[in-house]
Each structure stands twice: as C-alpha cells, then as structure tokens.
Amino acid sequence: MDAVAAFFALFFTLATFWNGMSANEYQTIGMSGNANQTLALQDAGYISWTTNNSNYDNDQDIRVFFEAPVGKRILLVFQDINIEGDENCEFDQLLVYEGRVITDHFLAFPQSYVCGTSYDDFASTNNVITIRLKSNAVNNGHFKILSTVFAPPSNGPSCTSGECMCSNGRCINETLKGDGVNNC
C-alpha cells in the first residue's frame, strides 16, 4: 500500500471512530412487506425494495409512508436506480409525494416521477413523504435511495446542539459529519 492510500485508509478509520458511524452501518429499510405502513426514518439510512437490495417484483403497486421527527425534513439521494421506463415513465415508476398519500385522487400529484437510471435529489417540505412503486408485468429493476433527516435552513447562523450545519444551511446530525457520505 502506498503512502497516499495508507493515509486515506487511516483518515477514514479515524473519522469513523470519532463519529461512531460509517455509511456501511446505515440501516436499510425495505419497502417489500411494508405496504401502507408508516416507517420512522433515522438520521440517515437507505431505502430499497428489500433490506438486501434485491430487485423489485413485477406487478407491484405499493405505497410506504416515511416519517421524520416533527419539524424535520427528508432528503432523498437516488444512489443506485434502475427503474424500467422511458422519459415519460410509462412502464415502471417510483413516485415520491409530499405527505401521506393513500389514494389516486386527482389532486394527489407526485413531486417526483422516478424511472431510468438516474434522478435528481429530492428534499421534502415537511416531515412525511410517500414513496410508491408501480411496476408492470415485465422487466423488474432495483433502487437504493440514501435518506437523510435534516432541519431546514433557519434564519440563525447555527444549528441546535448535536447537529452540524451544511454549506447549504441544512442541519444534520453531527454523527454524520465525516462518515464518507455527503448527507447535505
């Protein structure tokens, strides 16, 4: 191992020791088997079809509600997605809604239609979101989403105790700082 590689290995080990957590220790929440359930989000974790990140099943229409503590919001970063679809998401879709959406009422518009292999980050405006997976009868896919609970930017120059401020003004749990993942 050369000196540079040794330095980075030591740095990551010390950062993990100092902060007490690494991205590998994040909890993975599987949507499969949790239809119409409300699942509490921790400071950071992953959302996938199953806890072992396997492909989702065909012919699915499942909604799961994700909830952060009151006053917090949810950031979703689509890290590894392969949702069958074209630019119009005509085949399989991963839909993200603000709040708890349980019907297909014409006023329930998703904030994000996710399909294909990449998607922009999503930041909620309240503490509850609904993620809905709709798949057709062919070509299943997979997804792995990083979720981070954050406090919205405030008018003040600092975060509350136990939090650190990101350059974008969001406040995240201080244990996430330096864990090798951009949770901001």
Side-chain angles (χ1 to χ4, degrees), residues 117-144:
T117 57
S118 65
Y119 198 77
D120 294 335
D121 299 348
F122 171 84
S124 71
T125 58
N126 61 53
N127 71 313
V128 178
I129 61 170
T130 301
I131 298 180
R132 179 181 184 188
L133 173 69
K134 291 175 62 175
S135 64
N136 62 13
V138 295
N139 296 336
N140 56 14
H142 66 270
F143 56 92
K144 183 177 182 181

PDB file of all heavy atoms in Angstrom, residues 117-144:
ATOM      1  N   THR A 117     -32.224   5.355 -14.937  1.00  0.00           N
ATOM      2  CA  THR A 117     -31.054   5.001 -14.129  1.00  0.00           C
ATOM      3  C   THR A 117     -30.457   6.168 -13.347  1.00  0.00           C
ATOM      4  O   THR A 117     -29.451   5.986 -12.661  1.00  0.00           O
ATOM      5  CB  THR A 117     -29.950   4.406 -15.027  1.00  0.00           C
ATOM      6  OG1 THR A 117     -29.631   5.352 -16.048  1.00  0.00           O
ATOM      7  CG2 THR A 117     -30.400   3.099 -15.656  1.00  0.00           C
ATOM      8  N   SER A 118     -31.043   7.341 -13.417  1.00  0.00           N
ATOM      9  CA  SER A 118     -30.544   8.452 -12.598  1.00  0.00           C
ATOM     10  C   SER A 118     -31.686   9.412 -12.322  1.00  0.00           C
ATOM     11  O   SER A 118     -32.652   9.494 -13.086  1.00  0.00           O
ATOM     12  CB  SER A 118     -29.397   9.178 -13.286  1.00  0.00           C
ATOM     13  OG  SER A 118     -29.849   9.803 -14.458  1.00  0.00           O
ATOM     14  N   TYR A 119     -31.538  10.139 -11.221  1.00  0.00           N
ATOM     15  CA  TYR A 119     -32.563  11.119 -10.872  1.00  0.00           C
ATOM     16  C   TYR A 119     -31.972  12.132  -9.908  1.00  0.00           C
ATOM     17  O   TYR A 119     -31.076  11.822  -9.129  1.00  0.00           O
ATOM     18  CB  TYR A 119     -33.792  10.442 -10.246  1.00  0.00           C
ATOM     19  CG  TYR A 119     -34.992  11.341 -10.276  1.00  0.00           C
ATOM     20  CD1 TYR A 119     -35.707  11.519 -11.445  1.00  0.00           C
ATOM     21  CD2 TYR A 119     -35.370  12.063  -9.158  1.00  0.00           C
ATOM     22  CE1 TYR A 119     -36.783  12.393 -11.494  1.00  0.00           C
ATOM     23  CE2 TYR A 119     -36.447  12.929  -9.194  1.00  0.00           C
ATOM     24  CZ  TYR A 119     -37.152  13.088 -10.369  1.00  0.00           C
ATOM     25  OH  TYR A 119     -38.204  13.953 -10.421  1.00  0.00           O
ATOM     26  N   ASP A 120     -32.493  13.355  -9.970  1.00  0.00           N
ATOM     27  CA  ASP A 120     -32.026  14.417  -9.077  1.00  0.00           C
ATOM     28  C   ASP A 120     -32.469  14.155  -7.641  1.00  0.00           C
ATOM     29  O   ASP A 120     -33.480  13.497  -7.396  1.00  0.00           O
ATOM     30  CB  ASP A 120     -32.582  15.772  -9.532  1.00  0.00           C
ATOM     31  CG  ASP A 120     -32.032  16.209 -10.879  1.00  0.00           C
ATOM     32  OD1 ASP A 120     -30.919  15.762 -11.227  1.00  0.00           O
ATOM     33  OD2 ASP A 120     -32.718  16.974 -11.577  1.00  0.00           O
ATOM     34  N   ASP A 121     -31.735  14.729  -6.711  1.00  0.00           N
ATOM     35  CA  ASP A 121     -32.091  14.612  -5.297  1.00  0.00           C
ATOM     36  C   ASP A 121     -33.460  15.238  -5.047  1.00  0.00           C
ATOM     37  O   ASP A 121     -33.908  16.118  -5.793  1.00  0.00           O
ATOM     38  CB  ASP A 121     -31.054  15.324  -4.428  1.00  0.00           C
ATOM     39  CG  ASP A 121     -29.654  14.737  -4.582  1.00  0.00           C
ATOM     40  OD1 ASP A 121     -29.514  13.647  -5.167  1.00  0.00           O
ATOM     41  OD2 ASP A 121     -28.710  15.379  -4.105  1.00  0.00           O
ATOM     42  N   PHE A 122     -34.108  14.795  -3.971  1.00  0.00           N
ATOM     43  CA  PHE A 122     -35.417  15.310  -3.584  1.00  0.00           C
ATOM     44  C   PHE A 122     -35.355  15.715  -2.121  1.00  0.00           C
ATOM     45  O   PHE A 122     -34.926  14.921  -1.275  1.00  0.00           O
ATOM     46  CB  PHE A 122     -36.493  14.223  -3.780  1.00  0.00           C
ATOM     47  CG  PHE A 122     -37.820  14.592  -3.198  1.00  0.00           C
ATOM     48  CD1 PHE A 122     -38.720  15.363  -3.919  1.00  0.00           C
ATOM     49  CD2 PHE A 122     -38.179  14.179  -1.919  1.00  0.00           C
ATOM     50  CE1 PHE A 122     -39.949  15.711  -3.373  1.00  0.00           C
ATOM     51  CE2 PHE A 122     -39.412  14.512  -1.378  1.00  0.00           C
ATOM     52  CZ  PHE A 122     -40.292  15.279  -2.104  1.00  0.00           C
ATOM     53  N   ALA A 123     -35.766  16.934  -1.806  1.00  0.00           N
ATOM     54  CA  ALA A 123     -35.852  17.399  -0.416  1.00  0.00           C
ATOM     55  C   ALA A 123     -37.298  17.748  -0.115  1.00  0.00           C
ATOM     56  O   ALA A 123     -37.917  18.554  -0.823  1.00  0.00           O
ATOM     57  CB  ALA A 123     -34.949  18.605  -0.197  1.00  0.00           C
ATOM     58  N   SER A 124     -37.846  17.124   0.919  1.00  0.00           N
ATOM     59  CA  SER A 124     -39.249  17.358   1.269  1.00  0.00           C
ATOM     60  C   SER A 124     -39.426  18.732   1.914  1.00  0.00           C
ATOM     61  O   SER A 124     -38.466  19.353   2.365  1.00  0.00           O
ATOM     62  CB  SER A 124     -39.749  16.266   2.218  1.00  0.00           C
ATOM     63  OG  SER A 124     -39.163  16.405   3.501  1.00  0.00           O
ATOM     64  N   THR A 125     -40.681  19.172   1.972  1.00  0.00           N
ATOM     65  CA  THR A 125     -41.004  20.435   2.629  1.00  0.00           C
ATOM     66  C   THR A 125     -41.704  20.195   3.961  1.00  0.00           C
ATOM     67  O   THR A 125     -42.065  21.153   4.638  1.00  0.00           O
ATOM     68  CB  THR A 125     -41.894  21.313   1.732  1.00  0.00           C
ATOM     69  OG1 THR A 125     -43.085  20.596   1.412  1.00  0.00           O
ATOM     70  CG2 THR A 125     -41.164  21.702   0.456  1.00  0.00           C
ATOM     71  N   ASN A 126     -41.928  18.918   4.312  1.00  0.00           N
ATOM     72  CA  ASN A 126     -42.472  18.594   5.631  1.00  0.00           C
ATOM     73  C   ASN A 126     -41.859  17.281   6.101  1.00  0.00           C
ATOM     74  O   ASN A 126     -40.951  16.758   5.466  1.00  0.00           O
ATOM     75  CB  ASN A 126     -44.010  18.563   5.616  1.00  0.00           C
ATOM     76  CG  ASN A 126     -44.574  17.515   4.676  1.00  0.00           C
ATOM     77  OD1 ASN A 126     -44.209  16.358   4.750  1.00  0.00           O
ATOM     78  ND2 ASN A 126     -45.460  17.928   3.790  1.00  0.00           N
ATOM     79  N   ASN A 127     -42.352  16.716   7.179  1.00  0.00           N
ATOM     80  CA  ASN A 127     -41.683  15.560   7.779  1.00  0.00           C
ATOM     81  C   ASN A 127     -42.219  14.202   7.327  1.00  0.00           C
ATOM     82  O   ASN A 127     -41.740  13.178   7.803  1.00  0.00           O
ATOM     83  CB  ASN A 127     -41.738  15.649   9.309  1.00  0.00           C
ATOM     84  CG  ASN A 127     -43.125  15.410   9.861  1.00  0.00           C
ATOM     85  OD1 ASN A 127     -44.098  15.983   9.371  1.00  0.00           O
ATOM     86  ND2 ASN A 127     -43.225  14.578  10.870  1.00  0.00           N
ATOM     87  N   VAL A 128     -43.175  14.169   6.417  1.00  0.00           N
ATOM     88  CA  VAL A 128     -43.723  12.894   5.939  1.00  0.00           C
ATOM     89  C   VAL A 128     -43.725  12.880   4.416  1.00  0.00           C
ATOM     90  O   VAL A 128     -44.108  13.866   3.780  1.00  0.00           O
ATOM     91  CB  VAL A 128     -45.168  12.659   6.451  1.00  0.00           C
ATOM     92  CG1 VAL A 128     -45.733  11.361   5.902  1.00  0.00           C
ATOM     93  CG2 VAL A 128     -45.213  12.663   7.969  1.00  0.00           C
ATOM     94  N   ILE A 129     -43.273  11.762   3.855  1.00  0.00           N
ATOM     95  CA  ILE A 129     -43.351  11.558   2.409  1.00  0.00           C
ATOM     96  C   ILE A 129     -43.960  10.185   2.146  1.00  0.00           C
ATOM     97  O   ILE A 129     -43.948   9.310   3.015  1.00  0.00           O
ATOM     98  CB  ILE A 129     -41.978  11.651   1.713  1.00  0.00           C
ATOM     99  CG1 ILE A 129     -41.019  10.573   2.232  1.00  0.00           C
ATOM    100  CG2 ILE A 129     -41.394  13.045   1.837  1.00  0.00           C
ATOM    101  CD1 ILE A 129     -39.733  10.459   1.426  1.00  0.00           C
ATOM    102  N   THR A 130     -44.489  10.021   0.963  1.00  0.00           N
ATOM    103  CA  THR A 130     -44.973   8.727   0.491  1.00  0.00           C
ATOM    104  C   THR A 130     -44.120   8.334  -0.702  1.00  0.00           C
ATOM    105  O   THR A 130     -43.900   9.143  -1.608  1.00  0.00           O
ATOM    106  CB  THR A 130     -46.443   8.811   0.039  1.00  0.00           C
ATOM    107  OG1 THR A 130     -47.240   9.247   1.140  1.00  0.00           O
ATOM    108  CG2 THR A 130     -46.950   7.472  -0.479  1.00  0.00           C
ATOM    109  N   ILE A 131     -43.628   7.086  -0.687  1.00  0.00           N
ATOM    110  CA  ILE A 131     -42.947   6.542  -1.860  1.00  0.00           C
ATOM    111  C   ILE A 131     -43.814   5.403  -2.371  1.00  0.00           C
ATOM    112  O   ILE A 131     -44.197   4.510  -1.616  1.00  0.00           O
ATOM    113  CB  ILE A 131     -41.526   6.052  -1.534  1.00  0.00           C
ATOM    114  CG1 ILE A 131     -40.662   7.219  -1.046  1.00  0.00           C
ATOM    115  CG2 ILE A 131     -40.900   5.404  -2.776  1.00  0.00           C
ATOM    116  CD1 ILE A 131     -39.241   6.836  -0.695  1.00  0.00           C
ATOM    117  N   ARG A 132     -44.130   5.459  -3.649  1.00  0.00           N
ATOM    118  CA  ARG A 132     -44.987   4.460  -4.284  1.00  0.00           C
ATOM    119  C   ARG A 132     -44.223   3.811  -5.430  1.00  0.00           C
ATOM    120  O   ARG A 132     -43.670   4.507  -6.284  1.00  0.00           O
ATOM    121  CB  ARG A 132     -46.245   5.125  -4.819  1.00  0.00           C
ATOM    122  CG  ARG A 132     -47.196   4.184  -5.520  1.00  0.00           C
ATOM    123  CD  ARG A 132     -48.396   4.952  -6.036  1.00  0.00           C
ATOM    124  NE  ARG A 132     -49.376   4.082  -6.637  1.00  0.00           N
ATOM    125  CZ  ARG A 132     -50.441   4.517  -7.306  1.00  0.00           C
ATOM    126  NH1 ARG A 132     -50.647   5.815  -7.443  1.00  0.00           N
ATOM    127  NH2 ARG A 132     -51.284   3.651  -7.821  1.00  0.00           N
ATOM    128  N   LEU A 133     -44.192   2.487  -5.436  1.00  0.00           N
ATOM    129  CA  LEU A 133     -43.595   1.738  -6.548  1.00  0.00           C
ATOM    130  C   LEU A 133     -44.724   1.125  -7.352  1.00  0.00           C
ATOM    131  O   LEU A 133     -45.572   0.415  -6.809  1.00  0.00           O
ATOM    132  CB  LEU A 133     -42.669   0.633  -6.037  1.00  0.00           C
ATOM    133  CG  LEU A 133     -42.148  -0.301  -7.139  1.00  0.00           C
ATOM    134  CD1 LEU A 133     -41.169   0.437  -8.058  1.00  0.00           C
ATOM    135  CD2 LEU A 133     -41.486  -1.531  -6.550  1.00  0.00           C
ATOM    136  N   LYS A 134     -44.736   1.418  -8.654  1.00  0.00           N
ATOM    137  CA  LYS A 134     -45.675   0.802  -9.583  1.00  0.00           C
ATOM    138  C   LYS A 134     -44.848   0.087 -10.645  1.00  0.00           C
ATOM    139  O   LYS A 134     -44.028   0.713 -11.315  1.00  0.00           O
ATOM    140  CB  LYS A 134     -46.567   1.857 -10.243  1.00  0.00           C
ATOM    141  CG  LYS A 134     -47.556   2.506  -9.308  1.00  0.00           C
ATOM    142  CD  LYS A 134     -48.324   3.632  -9.969  1.00  0.00           C
ATOM    143  CE  LYS A 134     -49.148   3.142 -11.133  1.00  0.00           C
ATOM    144  NZ  LYS A 134     -50.002   4.208 -11.704  1.00  0.00           N
ATOM    145  N   SER A 135     -45.037  -1.227 -10.765  1.00  0.00           N
ATOM    146  CA  SER A 135     -44.300  -1.969 -11.788  1.00  0.00           C
ATOM    147  C   SER A 135     -45.274  -2.763 -12.645  1.00  0.00           C
ATOM    148  O   SER A 135     -46.333  -3.190 -12.181  1.00  0.00           O
ATOM    149  CB  SER A 135     -43.263  -2.897 -11.138  1.00  0.00           C
ATOM    150  OG  SER A 135     -43.871  -3.889 -10.345  1.00  0.00           O
ATOM    151  N   ASN A 136     -44.888  -2.974 -13.896  1.00  0.00           N
ATOM    152  CA  ASN A 136     -45.737  -3.742 -14.800  1.00  0.00           C
ATOM    153  C   ASN A 136     -45.339  -5.220 -14.750  1.00  0.00           C
ATOM    154  O   ASN A 136     -44.615  -5.640 -13.847  1.00  0.00           O
ATOM    155  CB  ASN A 136     -45.666  -3.166 -16.224  1.00  0.00           C
ATOM    156  CG  ASN A 136     -44.271  -3.234 -16.820  1.00  0.00           C
ATOM    157  OD1 ASN A 136     -43.372  -3.900 -16.309  1.00  0.00           O
ATOM    158  ND2 ASN A 136     -44.076  -2.527 -17.928  1.00  0.00           N
ATOM    159  N   ALA A 137     -45.768  -5.995 -15.739  1.00  0.00           N
ATOM    160  CA  ALA A 137     -45.588  -7.453 -15.700  1.00  0.00           C
ATOM    161  C   ALA A 137     -44.236  -7.932 -16.223  1.00  0.00           C
ATOM    162  O   ALA A 137     -43.961  -9.128 -16.191  1.00  0.00           O
ATOM    163  CB  ALA A 137     -46.700  -8.129 -16.501  1.00  0.00           C
ATOM    164  N   VAL A 138     -43.391  -7.021 -16.695  1.00  0.00           N
ATOM    165  CA  VAL A 138     -42.106  -7.453 -17.252  1.00  0.00           C
ATOM    166  C   VAL A 138     -40.964  -6.586 -16.731  1.00  0.00           C
ATOM    167  O   VAL A 138     -41.177  -5.464 -16.280  1.00  0.00           O
ATOM    168  CB  VAL A 138     -42.111  -7.414 -18.796  1.00  0.00           C
ATOM    169  CG1 VAL A 138     -43.104  -8.411 -19.367  1.00  0.00           C
ATOM    170  CG2 VAL A 138     -42.429  -6.018 -19.303  1.00  0.00           C
ATOM    171  N   ASN A 139     -39.756  -7.124 -16.815  1.00  0.00           N
ATOM    172  CA  ASN A 139     -38.513  -6.388 -16.552  1.00  0.00           C
ATOM    173  C   ASN A 139     -38.473  -5.685 -15.197  1.00  0.00           C
ATOM    174  O   ASN A 139     -38.605  -4.468 -15.109  1.00  0.00           O
ATOM    175  CB  ASN A 139     -38.240  -5.355 -17.645  1.00  0.00           C
ATOM    176  CG  ASN A 139     -37.995  -5.987 -18.976  1.00  0.00           C
ATOM    177  OD1 ASN A 139     -37.595  -7.146 -19.072  1.00  0.00           O
ATOM    178  ND2 ASN A 139     -38.239  -5.236 -20.036  1.00  0.00           N
ATOM    179  N   ASN A 140     -38.283  -6.466 -14.137  1.00  0.00           N
ATOM    180  CA  ASN A 140     -38.155  -5.825 -12.829  1.00  0.00           C
ATOM    181  C   ASN A 140     -36.835  -5.076 -12.734  1.00  0.00           C
ATOM    182  O   ASN A 140     -35.950  -5.219 -13.567  1.00  0.00           O
ATOM    183  CB  ASN A 140     -38.311  -6.837 -11.698  1.00  0.00           C
ATOM    184  CG  ASN A 140     -37.340  -8.001 -11.793  1.00  0.00           C
ATOM    185  OD1 ASN A 140     -36.375  -7.961 -12.532  1.00  0.00           O
ATOM    186  ND2 ASN A 140     -37.607  -9.039 -11.041  1.00  0.00           N
ATOM    187  N   GLY A 141     -36.689  -4.244 -11.721  1.00  0.00           N
ATOM    188  CA  GLY A 141     -35.494  -3.427 -11.548  1.00  0.00           C
ATOM    189  C   GLY A 141     -35.133  -3.323 -10.081  1.00  0.00           C
ATOM    190  O   GLY A 141     -35.568  -4.131  -9.261  1.00  0.00           O
ATOM    191  N   HIS A 142     -34.341  -2.304  -9.742  1.00  0.00           N
ATOM    192  CA  HIS A 142     -33.926  -2.127  -8.353  1.00  0.00           C
ATOM    193  C   HIS A 142     -33.696  -0.645  -8.066  1.00  0.00           C
ATOM    194  O   HIS A 142     -33.618   0.179  -8.980  1.00  0.00           O
ATOM    195  CB  HIS A 142     -32.644  -2.917  -8.067  1.00  0.00           C
ATOM    196  CG  HIS A 142     -31.460  -2.415  -8.825  1.00  0.00           C
ATOM    197  ND1 HIS A 142     -31.129  -2.893 -10.074  1.00  0.00           N
ATOM    198  CD2 HIS A 142     -30.539  -1.459  -8.542  1.00  0.00           C
ATOM    199  CE1 HIS A 142     -30.056  -2.268 -10.507  1.00  0.00           C
ATOM    200  NE2 HIS A 142     -29.672  -1.378  -9.600  1.00  0.00           N
ATOM    201  N   PHE A 143     -33.602  -0.326  -6.780  1.00  0.00           N
ATOM    202  CA  PHE A 143     -33.280   1.029  -6.367  1.00  0.00           C
ATOM    203  C   PHE A 143     -32.665   1.009  -4.975  1.00  0.00           C
ATOM    204  O   PHE A 143     -32.940   0.139  -4.166  1.00  0.00           O
ATOM    205  CB  PHE A 143     -34.517   1.943  -6.377  1.00  0.00           C
ATOM    206  CG  PHE A 143     -35.665   1.448  -5.550  1.00  0.00           C
ATOM    207  CD1 PHE A 143     -35.803   1.832  -4.221  1.00  0.00           C
ATOM    208  CD2 PHE A 143     -36.617   0.604  -6.087  1.00  0.00           C
ATOM    209  CE1 PHE A 143     -36.864   1.374  -3.453  1.00  0.00           C
ATOM    210  CE2 PHE A 143     -37.682   0.144  -5.332  1.00  0.00           C
ATOM    211  CZ  PHE A 143     -37.809   0.534  -4.012  1.00  0.00           C
ATOM    212  N   LYS A 144     -31.790   1.976  -4.748  1.00  0.00           N
ATOM    213  CA  LYS A 144     -31.184   2.197  -3.438  1.00  0.00           C
ATOM    214  C   LYS A 144     -31.132   3.712  -3.253  1.00  0.00           C
ATOM    215  O   LYS A 144     -30.481   4.416  -4.024  1.00  0.00           O
ATOM    216  CB  LYS A 144     -29.790   1.600  -3.358  1.00  0.00           C
ATOM    217  CG  LYS A 144     -29.141   1.752  -1.990  1.00  0.00           C
ATOM    218  CD  LYS A 144     -27.777   1.073  -1.955  1.00  0.00           C
ATOM    219  CE  LYS A 144     -27.143   1.164  -0.579  1.00  0.00           C
ATOM    220  NZ  LYS A 144     -25.817   0.512  -0.582  1.00  0.00           N
TER     221      LYS A 144
END
